[in-house]
Amino acid sequence: MITEKKTQFLVEELDQLKKNGLFRPLRVLASAQDTEVVVDGKRVLNLSSNNYLGLTTHPRLKRAMVKATEELGAGSGAVRTIAGTMAIHEELERRLAEFKHTEASLVFQSGFTANLGVLQSLVKEGDVIISDELNHASIIDGIRLSKAERSIFKHRDLDDLERHLEKHREKRVKLVVTDGVFSMDGDIAPLAGIVDRAERFGAMIMVDDAHASGVLGKNGRGSVNHFGLDGRVDLQMGTLSKAIGVLGGYVAAPQPVRDFLIHRARPFLFSTSHPPGVAAACIAAIDVLLAEPERIERLWANTARFKAGLKRLGFETGASETPITPVIVGKGSVAMELSDRLFGLGVFAQGIGYPTVPEGRARIRTIVTSVHTDQQLDRALEAFEKGGKELGVIA
Ligand SMILES: *Cc1c(COP(=O)(O)O)cnc(C)c1O
């Protein structure tokens, strides 16, 4: 009785969400994360995962995880700075640094905590963080936790970036931060221009490659490598949870950055490290990226095929240049309705509305992977055609 009373304010807020059609129960998978999944008891084609290369179920990763777990246990038992640094954690960091062509790297529990840890600790009062307005929530939260001033530039707008750099010319440290690939639109940051501007003003650069790791660059090294900018971006943050198929985040950077973060990044200092099996599976994933580059080729071929199909049907797919393809429908309620219809037609593709994307730009967000077959993609396009026509999204 008493507890019910105390949570009444939450019930009221939830009722408001329901009234606006924005209450979304969690979709529950009863199968592995794959091109087809069992969601809420129904077998559907999956266009909603970040499993770009199909690595979540790759035999090499699974074997590595089981083997490390058998040998080293299920958990690490401590934070990295006390007794939770195992040899396998450092092996992963060496492999990541080598892969990214940087001096060092540091792994965090997730991409989210990597951004939090870096942005909160690296710069301080009197410094400035200059951030693209569409950067990921974890960057926004990291900036909120930092004592540095925040300065937000217009999305992918180099002239506006330059104005912000000019304005903060006198600051001790200027840190420019951008997503490499933007997660809701699938567009790519103009990195060459950003590096050019930042270098002219002596600013540090941080790129969040959560959606570019395993997708862009040679063997999936990311957006910095893609643009031929190796050695010119100070901090390359990436995730091990998307194309890499496991869990975690990292920063690839010069050695002093790693040494500093070990002493100051709070998620690193105060939260337990990965189970050894996670580190082992991530190492196996790097091996797969190096050994099976055809996965990335197939990912891009599938991307081209699916995008062309959506365009042919008359859908608006925005500015995407990557496997993330938004199908923009406008109103939030239409996006949710289309998502529900697609689900009825056997296709799992989530609707995304305000506040994740701007009002009036609600969408179905699709991600194809390297392991989708042509037949599966054609089936998905048929469902989009049917659902889109039923709702009048396409003619
Ligand atoms: C997903 C994502 C993250 C967070 O990564 P996790 O490993 O899932 O915590 C950070 N930045 C961007 C741009 C992302 O898309």
Side-chain angles (χ1 to χ4, degrees):
M1 228 15 221
I2 290 173
T3 306
E4 260 168 48
K5 238 190 209 150
K6 284 187 194 158
T7 54
Q8 186 52 37
F9 75 104
L10 298 175
V11 174
E12 282 161 21
E13 290 195 26
L14 289 168
D15 285 345
Q16 198 56 45
L17 282 182
K18 284 175 189 163
K19 232 193 318 194
N20 297 336
L22 296 173
F23 182 83
R24 302 298 284 176
L26 296 175
R27 295 286 203 186
V28 181
L29 274 67
S31 62
Q33 184 65 261
D34 211 333
T35 54
E36 288 188 18
V37 284
V38 177
V39 180
D40 297 337
K42 188 176 158 76
R43 188 162 191 87
V44 285
L45 196 59
N46 185 7
L47 291 178
S48 286
S49 88
N50 301 311
N51 184 28
Y52 289 103
L53 302 174
L55 298 194
T56 53
T57 53
H58 196 292
R60 271 176 89 162
L61 274 74
K62 292 195 285 187
R63 275 202 304 271
M65 185 176 264
V66 169
K67 181 163 177 284
T69 305
E70 292 288 356
E71 286 171 8
L72 298 167
S76 77
V79 302
R80 287 286 297 273
T81 47
I82 298 187
T85 296
M86 294 174 148
I88 201 160
H89 293 129
E90 296 219 312
E91 186 187 337
L92 172 59
E93 287 166 344
R94 278 193 301 274
R95 290 295 308 276
L96 280 169
E98 185 188 15
F99 182 67
K100 300 287 281 188
H101 300 152
T102 58
E103 208 178 2
S105 88
L106 190 69
V107 170
F108 290 76
Q109 298 85 356
S110 70
F112 198 102
T113 58
N115 276 334
L116 239 53
V118 171
L119 291 163
Q120 153 263 317
S121 69
L122 205 70
V123 286
K124 57 184 189 185
E125 207 167 340
D127 300 335
V128 65
I129 302 174
I130 304 176
S131 174
D132 186 289
E133 65 183 340
L134 292 191
N135 276 342
H136 189 257
S138 55
I139 295 179
I140 296 171
D141 286 8
I143 295 173
R144 280 185 185 144
L145 289 171
S146 165
K147 298 263 183 345
E149 193 178 328
R150 92 179 84 148
S151 204
I152 310 296
F153 67 96
K154 291 204 193 83
H155 181 49
R156 300 177 76 237
D157 185 332
L158 293 172
D159 293 333
D160 197 41
L161 169 63
E162 189 161 342
R163 277 190 290 277
H164 284 263
L165 284 162
E166 183 65 55
K167 181 174 163 211
H168 296 287
R169 185 183 271 283
E170 301 305 325
K171 292 277 195 309
R172 185 193 72 135
V173 179
K174 301 170 278 291
L175 174 62
V176 176
V177 57
T178 182
D179 282 7
V181 171
F182 290 87
S183 52
M184 288 302 143
D185 291 277
D187 51 343
I188 303 176
L191 268 193
I194 290 175
V195 167
D196 167 68
R197 303 305 187 282
E199 282 178 351
R200 270 201 267 138
F201 287 85
M204 290 183 86
I205 309 162
M206 173 171 173
V207 173
D208 175 339
D209 256 350
H211 283 285
S213 315
V215 175
L216 289 177
K218 186 163 163 45
N219 295 90
R221 283 182 169 79
S223 61
V224 173
N225 181 264
H226 170 75
F227 285 111
L229 296 167
D230 282 350
R232 292 174 69 187
V233 168
D234 306 280
L235 296 108
Q236 295 185 59
M237 173 271 173
T239 175
L240 303 165
S241 330
K242 288 178 175 143
I244 304 303
V246 194
L247 173 71
Y250 63 89
V251 185
Q255 189 68 39
V257 172
R258 181 181 196 270
D259 294 344
F260 181 85
L261 291 173
I262 285 174
H263 291 87
R264 286 289 178 271
R266 292 168 70 83
F268 188 87
L269 289 162
F270 296 109
S271 185
T272 297
S273 56
H274 281 155
V278 169
C282 291
I283 293 168
I286 298 173
D287 291 336
V288 171
L289 288 180
L290 294 171
E292 302 175 21
E294 62 274 13
R295 284 181 183 263
I296 299 175
E297 280 163 34
R298 176 79 193 165
L299 170 66
W300 284 96
N302 280 352
T303 298
R305 182 187 180 91
F306 192 62
K307 271 194 208 308
L310 287 170
K311 282 200 185 117
R312 200 164 49 237
L313 292 172
F315 285 106
E316 191 202 330
T317 54
S320 170
E321 308 162 75
T322 64
I324 301 173
T325 305
V327 176
I328 299 166
V329 300
K331 272 174 69 174
S333 53
V334 177
M336 302 311 161
E337 175 67 26
L338 180 54
S339 174
D340 289 344
R341 290 207 182 195
L342 288 169
F343 192 77
L345 295 164
V347 173
F348 179 37
Q350 289 276 31
I352 294 177
Y354 181 81
T356 309
V357 295
E359 201 107 53
R361 298 287 290 167
R363 63 199 60 189
I364 306 288
R365 177 168 173 267
T366 68
I367 297 184
V368 299
T369 71
S370 68
V371 279
H372 283 103
T373 63
D374 289 350
Q375 294 89 321
Q376 286 176 324
L377 295 180
D378 291 347
R379 240 166 68 209
L381 288 169
E382 275 166 35
F384 266 95
E385 180 171 20
K386 191 151 192 285
K389 281 183 177 161
E390 279 171 12
L391 288 176
V393 175
I394 50 170

